[in-house]
Amino acid sequence: MELIDKTYKFDLSSANSPKFEILLEKAKNLLVFRNEISQKVCTNSQFYITKSKFDWVTHFRKKIELCNNQDVTHAIIEVYKNYANKKAAYKKATTVKIQDKMNTILYKKNGKNFKKGDTRIFDVVMKSTKMTMIVSYLSKYMNDGLLEFLRTSKSDDKDKQDFRDMVLGYVDGKHGDRILVLAKSKQERIIKKIFEHAIEFESLTFVSCTEQKQNIITKNKNTQSIYNAFITIPGQPVEDGKITIPTKLSKKHHGQIGHYYKDANKKDQRNTTYTIIFNDKKGIEIALTRKKADETVIGKTNYYGVDVNVKHNLFCDKHGHEIDYDRDIFNDYVKFLRYCDRKLNAKAKKNGEKRKGIKLSNKDAFLKKTWEIRVKDMLKRKSNKLVIRAIELGMDHIVLEDLSHMGRGYSKSLEFEGFKYSRLIRLLNIASLKAIIQSIGNKHGLQVTFVHASYTSQTCTCGCIDKRNRKIQEIFKCIVCGLEAYADAHAGDLIEDRMSDDVLRSKLMNCKNGVYTPKKLKRKTIKEILIACYDTNTSTKNQDVIK
Ligand SMILES: [Zn+2]
């Protein structure tokens, strides 16, 4: 069961005008303050952009009329967060590389707008050298105190210190002056481009945090009132320091009030982050966050066992109904992955480095992201189909093997187009299927349970557990009783048993609040439980085998 943060808004328009005025004036002051910081950052960007969030807070903190420390700190943090993109752009732009080589790809055939042999793509390969690393460092960090700092301070980190010594060596060397001029002009150009325009803050909305003994939201004990709750914000410029505003809590929309309660810390204080929102239509609102469980469906007993694999299909139930991948997407994705592999290997070979540290080009990294989204979308579509199928069959409890361990079952040598299946499963992010099916299933009112994955492919209903039962991937054939079945369907059946059979369920699964999870068991123990159970069931079980 996953807990997610969800934000809910509460209407504060019942605030009387003095309270409203205080919050509005605060918001205005904080807005001015944010823009003031933003301007400062852009006039001395090299200084600020290399500093941490903590440094910013210490540096910019000051007294602001009507505001408390938390208001001010959160205003600074908001500006800091908004500059993250510029910070990244600065970092990227100051990193100098030189052109290593240029690959050209030519057209192989004549086309409408090109001829065979015309240039199709230029692919410029860049590399880092000692020199580019030094210029990068200097363009990034150059300021009036940098050289002094390098000469006087020592780092405990040996690599860092070696690098600093190298920088100094170059700076003090024959071409030192030229390097410095080069780095400085580069930095100036980049700063002008990125920080010419300060980010302008326009919204009055502000974030802050309370620390108080009570919860930020409390019940209104007066049941006659149309407002059933109060919001209390401490640390305000009023007589007792607290602003309390009545509000309406709708159980249907907001959930229970208790979901917003916080545990007290050691000082018996409760910390709550909140956002005050001003807008034209609703006036003023407060947004609070609570942990919300994805509504988990429980208590369903029409079990539907499903085998998940990557080889023949994606899903297969005990009747042998399959739902396959979108093979076009699957194949193209594999093609793309192989292309990435080739590129990375070539790069590694060229630089004589280990493959691990090599990164894809920006263009390829972007393509990879796009592919990952496409694959995930496909997994969602297929999971949806599975849930619909279960409903059509009158089933309400999908049982699957625990996908986080999937891939171990495949023999090490098994490959698809040069890809080890275990790796392919990781690249397809099959583990994410778990959350996807759970969420889609629950949305449709179906319970979803994951059981141990061990021995689902080798177990016979006669109690024989043996690797040799599955000599051929597609066919299950028991070496003891001779039972023959379509392997994936057979696995689906066995997976279902682990929930539908009372003995197996009680021995293999934990149940808490109606939610089943696999017990922590050794593989050996699981095997013993399975053998014992199937052995005694043999006579009845073998009669309804699936062909
Ligand atoms: Zn058997």
Side-chain angles (χ1 to χ4, degrees):
M1 186 168 48
E2 239 170 300
L3 289 173
I4 45 169
D5 275 329
K6 268 203 105 171
T7 304
Y8 293 89
K9 289 178 192 168
F10 294 86
D11 184 27
L12 294 184
S13 56
S14 71
N16 64 21
S17 81
K19 288 173 186 169
F20 180 83
E21 283 305 317
I22 288 176
L23 293 173
L24 181 62
E25 283 310 307
K26 261 169 89 115
K28 284 180 183 168
N29 292 348
L30 288 168
L31 179 59
V32 170
F33 178 51
R34 289 201 296 273
N35 281 315
E36 196 182 292
I37 298 173
S38 186
Q39 286 297 336
K40 278 188 191 162
V41 168
C42 286
T43 37
N44 193 2
S45 48
Q46 197 285 326
F47 175 74
Y48 292 111
I49 219 67
T50 48
K51 296 280 181 286
S52 70
K53 183 164 86 182
F54 178 79
D55 290 336
W56 278 44
V57 171
T58 326
H59 183 86
F60 286 117
R61 193 155 44 197
K62 68 171 204 181
K63 201 98 208 97
I64 292 176
E65 209 184 333
L66 301 175
C67 298
N68 61 43
N69 273 336
Q70 289 295 343
D71 301 335
V72 174
T73 303
H74 280 86
I76 299 167
I77 292 172
E78 201 200 326
V79 183
Y80 180 83
K81 281 184 185 163
N82 273 276
Y83 270 88
N85 284 338
K86 284 190 185 285
K87 196 172 171 170
Y90 180 78
K91 205 173 156 194
K92 197 178 159 206
T94 47
T95 303
V96 188
K97 283 190 175 178
I98 57 164
Q99 186 174 325
D100 181 21
K101 62 171 182 184
M102 186 146 73
N103 295 332
T104 35
I105 299 172
L106 305 178
Y107 283 107
K108 284 179 185 158
K109 287 178 188 164
N110 287 325
K112 218 181 197 178
N113 303 313
F114 53 84
K115 272 189 275 177
K116 185 181 168 184
D118 283 355
T119 304
R120 191 157 73 107
I121 307 173
F122 285 112
D123 191 10
V124 179
V125 182
M126 307 296 274
K127 70 170 178 184
S128 298
T129 63
K130 258 187 201 173
M131 192 58 170
T132 60
M133 279 159 72
I134 287 162
V135 176
S136 296
Y137 178 84
L138 289 171
S139 334
K140 209 165 287 169
Y141 296 105
M142 180 55 91
N143 60 42
D144 294 342
L146 180 71
L147 295 181
E148 175 70 17
F149 167 80
L150 288 178
R151 284 187 220 284
T152 51
S153 74
K154 288 270 175 250
S155 172
D156 294 334
D157 185 333
K158 192 180 171 297
D159 289 347
K160 224 179 219 174
Q161 191 52 45
D162 285 352
F163 183 75
R164 287 181 187 175
D165 289 342
M166 184 173 82
V167 174
L168 273 179
Y170 271 77
V171 169
D172 294 333
K174 206 163 110 193
H175 305 296
D177 289 343
R178 273 172 60 197
I179 294 172
L180 287 176
V181 170
L182 178 72
K184 230 176 194 147
S185 72
K186 185 171 174 60
Q187 188 190 62
E188 273 165 19
R189 250 183 304 130
I190 292 165
I191 285 177
K192 186 164 186 310
K193 199 172 151 209
I194 299 176
F195 296 99
E196 194 179 8
H197 304 287
I199 294 174
E200 206 181 323
F201 293 86
E202 289 170 341
S203 165
L204 286 169
T205 295
F206 69 90
V207 181
S208 192
C209 177
T210 69
E211 192 180 68
Q212 56 184 339
K213 284 210 163 77
Q214 68 178 94
N215 278 298
I216 192 165
I217 186 164
T218 49
K219 263 184 202 157
N220 183 1
K221 286 183 183 120
N222 175 5
T223 50
Q224 303 300 310
S225 169
I226 58 162
Y227 300 105
N228 55 2
F230 290 113
I231 296 286
T232 308
I233 326 170
Q236 305 307 318
V238 290
E239 209 177 316
D240 66 347
K242 285 180 181 178
I243 285 184
T244 300
I245 301 169
T247 190
K248 286 178 194 164
L249 175 137
S250 142
K251 257 194 189 156
K252 203 174 159 205
H253 173 65
H254 297 105
Q256 284 172 19
I257 195 167
H259 291 148
Y260 297 90
Y261 291 169
K262 305 278 174 183
D263 293 330
N265 61 20
K266 279 180 190 154
K267 288 182 277 173
D268 195 29
Q269 299 281 339
R270 290 172 168 84
N271 288 303
T272 314
T273 304
Y274 64 93
T275 308
I276 299 286
I277 303 155
F278 291 90
N279 63 44
D280 295 341
K281 273 191 197 144
K282 294 200 170 163
I284 178 169
E285 293 171 300
I286 187 168
L288 300 177
T289 304
R290 73 170 173 98
K291 291 257 180 262
K292 188 173 181 291
D294 265 349
E295 307 285 333
T296 309
V297 176
I298 54 165
K300 306 290 184 185
T301 52
N302 293 316
Y303 300 103
Y304 184 52
V306 177
D307 177 59
V308 183
N309 72 83
V310 281
K311 199 153 179 278
H312 318 115
N313 48 57
L314 176 58
F315 302 124
C316 181
D317 71 7
K318 66 172 177 179
H319 310 294
H321 293 149
E322 293 180 359
I323 295 174
D324 199 5
Y325 290 95
D326 197 322
R327 285 286 161 182
D328 287 344
I329 293 185
F330 190 95
N331 291 336
D332 285 350
Y333 181 49
V334 169
K335 244 183 237 164
F336 173 74
L337 290 169
R338 293 177 64 191
Y339 155 87
C340 293
D341 270 3
R342 277 199 305 276
K343 270 208 157 173
L344 289 171
N345 286 335
K347 246 189 194 177
K349 203 173 168 191
K350 172 120 200 39
N351 301 351
E353 291 171 53
K354 278 202 182 120
R355 158 82 192 267
K356 232 180 175 174
I358 309 276
K359 278 190 187 142
L360 285 172
S361 70
N362 284 343
K363 194 184 110 201
D364 288 340
F366 173 78
L367 280 176
K368 190 155 179 264
K369 273 263 148 60
T370 318
W371 263 114
E372 281 161 5
I373 293 167
R374 208 175 290 168
V375 167
K376 191 164 189 183
D377 277 347
M378 172 181 69
L379 293 179
K380 278 185 188 165
R381 281 199 310 277
K382 299 300 167 179
S383 302
N384 207 54
K385 210 168 167 187
L386 177 72
V387 168
I388 301 295
R389 165 132 342 136
I391 294 169
E392 283 168 358
L393 290 168
M395 302 297 164
D396 55 18
H397 192 150
I398 297 178
V399 187
L400 303 132
E401 59 195 297
D402 192 344
L403 301 167
S404 8
H405 305 300
M406 211 181 138
R408 288 186 199 168
Y410 287 93
S411 70
K412 287 202 179 88
S413 58
L414 208 55
E415 290 189 354
F416 176 82
E417 306 255 335
F419 264 93
K420 294 229 159 60
Y421 267 101
S422 47
R423 185 172 168 224
L424 194 55
I425 284 162
R426 209 180 58 236
L427 290 168
L428 285 164
N429 201 6
I430 293 291
S432 74
L433 256 182
K434 211 174 154 174
I436 295 174
I437 299 174
Q438 177 94 53
S439 152
I440 296 177
N442 285 174
K443 252 179 224 153
H444 285 82
L446 268 62
Q447 187 168 353
V448 180
T449 297
F450 298 90
V451 300
H452 301 98
S454 328
Y455 303 112
T456 50
S457 61
Q458 309 168 15
T459 308
C460 179
T461 43
C462 73
C464 163
I465 301 182
D466 198 299
K467 267 185 193 156
R468 289 169 295 172
N469 286 347
R470 201 168 173 182
K471 263 190 191 151
I472 317 165
Q473 275 292 317
E474 288 76 11
I475 305 294
F476 179 92
K477 191 167 189 226
C478 177
I479 52 165
V480 174
C481 73
L483 167 75
E484 214 176 310
Y486 176 44
D488 295 337
H490 180 70
D493 196 13
L494 288 169
I495 288 163
E496 185 173 308
D497 283 349
R498 293 178 188 194
M499 279 302 288
S500 63
D501 187 289
D502 291 342
V503 179
L504 282 180
R505 188 177 63 244
S506 69
K507 292 212 163 147
L508 295 174
M509 305 297 288
N510 276 324
C511 182
K512 202 180 164 195
N513 303 325
V515 176
Y516 288 92
T517 46
K519 282 184 186 170
K520 281 212 165 72
L521 297 171
K522 286 185 183 138
R523 266 175 76 84
K524 198 175 137 242
T525 317
I526 296 175
K527 193 171 181 178
E528 284 161 9
I529 293 170
L530 291 171
I531 291 172
C533 175
Y534 282 118
D535 226 6
T536 45
N537 281 354
T538 305
S539 50
T540 52
K541 256 308 212 191
N542 264 352
Q543 282 154 21
D544 51 46
V545 233
I546 289 86
K547 295 282 142 10

